[in-house]
Amino acid sequence: MQGLMYRLAELDADSAGMVRIIDYFDALLRHGADVTELLRASAVLADCVVGIRANGLVTRRCTPRGEWRRPLEASAATTSRDIVLDDHCIGTVWIERPGTALPLDEMLVDRLALTAAAIIRPHRAQSDLEQSAALLNADGAATALDACSALDVDPTLRARVVSLADPTDQSGHVAHVAQRLARQLSPGRLTAVATDRDHLVVVTDLDETVAALSADPAARTVACGASLESDVATLHRWVGTARLAQKHCGTTNMVFCADEIGALNLLLTVAPESLSAIPDVARCDYVRQSKNGADLLDTLRVYLQVGTLRDTAEQMHMHHSSIATRLKSLSAAVHFDVTAIENRARATAMLLVDDLRRDAEPPTP
């Protein structure tokens, strides 16, 4: 492919130049290019902004550097062609050339339209659920942009992922809560996505999300964590922050936001397999596997959320002396006083890293 990366200005407006353009677009088809790759390659060839508008796709414009421009910024197309599939116009492609048009502009846009039609034709239309899952599990910008197009979502729209879970759920009510939330607040045709550990929903307004969940009686026992905010096209990078936030959701707040975790979100950038080298993490893991260890860690989690022994005891329906005994035992096991003010950040980080390691483990079949 590298050898075929021409610039239109370098080609003569003769039969040889036309053949090179045809070969350029044929090579894209042979290598299985998608619409995103087609636009990028066409922008390089044209050496100007190239755009597409088609049924089922969000309008996209790409620069020769591979940068995506907002549809509302589009200048008048200098050369355009309809995308025709089975004698029906399904969209338009164009170039936005500043200054004088080049002799081969018409040829380029013609081949661009034909190639776009060939790429769009064979693809089985995926369901909204499949496209939503593809967006939240995207392995790169191309996959995310294609999913945004299929779901009629502006890739530059600011949004968050909300992770919903309830370990006591026996009737599947979390799924109903997630689907209802997606219908109310997800942009485009995005739907709730179920995973082996939670349900994921994309929302654009955190306050409206809290209000919607507060008004839903079925959501009262659901733990909800909201991710850091980002463009929809990059939201897949921050799903982990929603799951971290969900672990901190207590009875006093319907949704815990990853913003409140602050710089501890950086823990997501550490490879999970290397976390066991941290002594606090190793000791926490040892405690979890010991008898009643999970109860000790759950007590610490509530204590860090509410701040006092008495409030922890009230929330866990225990005597405050029992809470103090649990935290003292845990402090001895992890080799630092988990109730000391100066150790709150350390204790919080220990639990977050423990959550990360367990989330990274493959699900039990």
Side-chain angles (χ1 to χ4, degrees):
M1 287 292 292
Q2 293 297 325
L4 293 173
M5 297 302 285
Y6 306 124
R7 298 280 185 181
L8 198 63
E10 300 169 357
L11 300 179
D12 294 327
D14 55 15
S15 57
M18 294 180 182
V19 168
R20 286 191 175 95
I21 293 176
I22 293 171
D23 189 41
Y24 186 89
F25 285 100
D26 285 350
L28 292 173
L29 285 177
R30 288 196 303 271
H31 287 269
D34 56 22
V35 172
T36 299
E37 292 163 338
L38 172 63
L39 280 187
R40 284 175 170 161
S42 300
V44 171
L45 177 60
D47 200 24
C48 67
V49 173
V50 171
I52 186 170
R53 182 186 298 108
N55 298 343
L57 297 176
V58 171
T59 300
R60 278 192 262 172
R61 301 165 60 239
C62 187
T63 72
R65 293 186 177 183
E67 300 165 340
W68 300 99
R69 295 282 181 82
R70 291 177 181 269
L72 295 180
E73 297 173 355
S75 58
T78 54
T79 309
S80 65
R81 284 288 186 282
D82 290 339
I83 305 172
V84 178
L85 193 59
D86 297 329
D87 296 326
H88 296 285
C89 176
I90 64 168
T92 308
V93 293
W94 67 88
I95 63 173
E96 301 169 21
R97 184 174 303 289
T100 307
L102 296 180
L104 291 174
D105 278 354
E106 295 281 347
M107 179 69 175
L108 181 148
V109 178
D110 186 61
R111 299 307 300 185
L112 171 58
L114 290 172
T115 306
I119 289 174
I120 293 171
R121 176 191 295 275
H123 289 178
R124 177 184 71 84
Q126 290 187 305
S127 68
D128 291 345
L129 175 59
E130 290 173 318
Q131 292 287 5
S132 298
L135 175 66
L136 294 177
N137 293 286
D139 54 5
T143 302
L145 286 168
D146 283 340
C148 286
S149 296
L151 293 164
D152 294 329
V153 178
D154 179 354
T156 65
L157 183 68
R158 302 293 287 179
R160 298 178 190 265
V161 179
V162 174
S163 168
L164 303 97
D166 181 357
T168 66
D169 182 20
Q170 300 295 324
S171 60
H173 77 277
V174 176
H176 296 296
V177 171
Q179 291 163 4
R180 192 177 299 120
L181 187 64
R183 286 195 298 270
Q184 292 178 12
L185 297 176
S186 290
R189 299 199 310 278
L190 270 161
T191 67
V193 175
T195 76
D196 62 334
R197 66 189 71 162
D198 57 7
H199 289 75
L200 302 175
V201 178
V202 175
V203 300
T204 55
D205 190 295
L206 193 57
D207 290 337
E208 289 183 3
T209 301
V210 173
L213 291 171
S214 299
D216 188 347
R220 289 173 184 168
T221 61
V222 178
C224 308
S227 73
L228 299 175
E229 187 181 47
S230 77
D231 292 347
V232 172
T234 59
L235 209 51
H236 58 279
R237 302 176 187 172
W238 308 113
V239 172
T241 66
R243 289 175 172 145
L244 278 181
Q246 182 210 105
K247 299 294 193 303
H248 285 259
C249 186
T251 57
T252 58
N253 48 328
M254 289 299 300
V255 181
F256 190 90
C257 182
D259 294 6
E260 303 302 318
I261 301 175
L264 289 174
N265 283 291
L266 289 171
L267 290 169
L268 286 167
T269 64
V270 181
E273 59 271 17
S274 67
L275 295 174
S276 57
I278 302 172
D280 284 2
V281 178
R283 292 168 188 147
C284 182
D285 189 48
Y286 175 78
V287 170
R288 181 172 295 284
Q289 296 179 40
S290 66
K291 183 180 180 180
N292 300 323
D295 292 337
L296 297 182
L297 294 172
D298 288 343
T299 302
L300 174 61
R301 193 185 299 279
V302 175
Y303 175 76
L304 291 172
Q305 290 172 355
V306 300
T308 69
L309 291 176
R310 291 192 179 277
D311 287 341
T312 304
E314 181 178 348
Q315 184 161 325
M316 298 189 72
H317 308 291
M318 296 174 62
H319 194 275
H320 66 85
S321 62
S322 299
I323 298 296
T325 299
R326 284 189 176 188
L327 295 177
K328 184 176 181 180
S329 298
L330 180 58
S331 296
V334 297
H335 298 185
F336 69 92
D337 184 357
V338 297
T339 64
I341 292 293
E342 64 271 20
N343 288 333
R344 279 184 176 270
R346 181 177 178 181
T348 300
M350 179 182 72
L351 291 180
L352 282 172
V353 174
D354 182 57
D355 292 338
L356 268 178
R357 290 180 70 250
R358 290 188 295 122
D359 282 346
E361 293 174 355
T364 304

